[in-house]
Amino acid sequence: KQEVTQIPAALSVPEGENLVLNCSFTDSAIYNLQWFRQDPGKGLTSLLLIQSSQREQTSGRLNASLDKSSGRSTLYIAASQPGDSATYLCAVNSGSARQLTFGSGTQLTVLP
Amino acid sequence: ETGVTQTPRHLVMGMTNKKSLKCEQHLGHNAMYWYKQSAKKPLELMFVYNFKEQTENNSVPSRFSPECPNSSHLFLHLHTLQPEDSALYLCASSQAYNSPLHFGNGTRLTVT
């Protein structure tokens, strides 16, 4: 059974810092990995999707990497802004049913 | 506008009530999903519909009954719920299994 872990559970940084969020998964036989952002009381917004054949994806100040063999992904946020404050969720698509398994998320606070 | 619309945004119901959650997607996607998000727990997949056919039911109690009349609409019928069913219920859609998921803003359900 796939298990996804995100560390740390919460992170607080001053504005302007570069930061890295971590995601690890137990079964490396994945189809893809997706990073989401969730604002309080809202649904999830897809940020980046990395297919199993890819090593990284970039969108603006965000860069996500994937190392399937070690079961890890990182989300790098450059020059953080207060508007980046949210919960960031990692989800892995795996298994015969191709289901997404979510981590518990990292709650990020960027202080002005 | 997320492309996936859920109604109502908030719902309070007694344990003997019957209510329905509605989800509509305007993205032309073929797959639709119901997820449950409880406090301090990862998102849990409840149901998956692909081309209007239910393909997954993740051991969800029968007091939750999904309905997918067409590829754009998804319902979750609720009856005789328990207080522990209080959670944020999220609907999502995708073009295919390997495609990014698009989420609605959810229905915040409180069972009294």
Side-chain angles (χ1 to χ4, degrees):
Chain A
K1 179 186 171 188
Q2 180 74 267
E3 293 182 6
V4 179
T5 304
Q6 291 188 247
I7 295 174
L11 179 64
S12 182
V13 300
E15 182 177 6
E17 270 203 11
N18 302 324
L19 58 100
V20 174
L21 307 181
N22 297 294
C23 172
S24 61
F25 46 95
T26 54
D27 183 355
S28 61
I30 70 170
Y31 299 103
N32 59 55
L33 182 145
Q34 200 165 351
W35 282 94
F36 294 89
R37 167 188 174 138
Q38 185 174 29
D39 293 287
K42 297 290 184 67
L44 280 66
T45 300
S46 178
L47 298 174
L48 291 164
L49 182 147
I50 311 177
Q51 301 291 354
S52 61
S53 58
Q54 297 173 323
R55 297 281 297 189
E56 65 178 338
Q57 282 286 332
T58 298
S59 176
R61 294 183 293 109
L62 305 179
N63 176 278
S65 68
L66 174 63
D67 184 343
K68 264 199 328 178
S69 59
S70 66
R72 293 181 184 178
S73 175
T74 61
L75 179 66
Y76 174 84
I77 302 177
S80 59
Q81 303 170 358
D84 294 330
S85 298
T87 297
Y88 290 81
L89 294 150
C90 163
V92 174
N93 187 332
S94 63
S96 58
R98 295 191 176 225
Q99 293 185 15
L100 276 185
T101 303
F102 282 81
S104 296
T106 294
Q107 185 174 358
L108 173 66
T109 303
V110 180
L111 303 169
Chain B
E1 175 59 54
T2 66
V4 180
T5 305
Q6 289 188 243
T7 54
R9 288 299 311 277
H10 301 273
L11 178 62
V12 179
M13 59 186 289
M15 293 168 61
T16 58
N17 291 158
K18 288 185 179 181
K19 296 287 184 183
S20 296
L21 310 185
K22 179 182 176 182
C23 176
E24 183 175 1
Q25 58 99 358
H26 314 277
L27 302 168
H29 289 167
N30 298 316
M32 296 187 76
Y33 311 77
W34 279 116
Y35 281 87
K36 176 183 178 182
Q37 188 175 35
S38 304
K40 310 296 184 185
K41 292 176 65 176
L43 268 78
E44 303 170 61
L45 178 65
M46 300 176 72
F47 301 104
V48 180
Y49 277 83
N50 195 30
F51 290 99
K52 301 187 302 176
E53 298 297 322
Q54 183 176 313
T55 57
E56 289 298 323
N57 175 342
N58 267 10
S59 303
V60 180
S62 59
R63 57 186 184 270
F64 295 91
S65 174
E67 179 190 1
C68 187
N70 54 63
S71 58
S72 299
H73 293 85
L74 185 64
F75 296 89
L76 188 62
H77 303 300
L78 316 171
H79 65 96
T80 60
L81 294 191
Q82 305 297 312
E84 59 265 29
D85 296 323
S86 299
L88 181 67
Y89 288 84
L90 291 163
C91 173
S93 70
S94 67
Q95 181 58 40
Y97 283 120
N98 269 356
S99 303
L101 257 65
H102 295 256
F103 281 83
N105 282 329
T107 294
R108 174 68 63 186
L109 174 67
T110 303
V111 181
T112 60

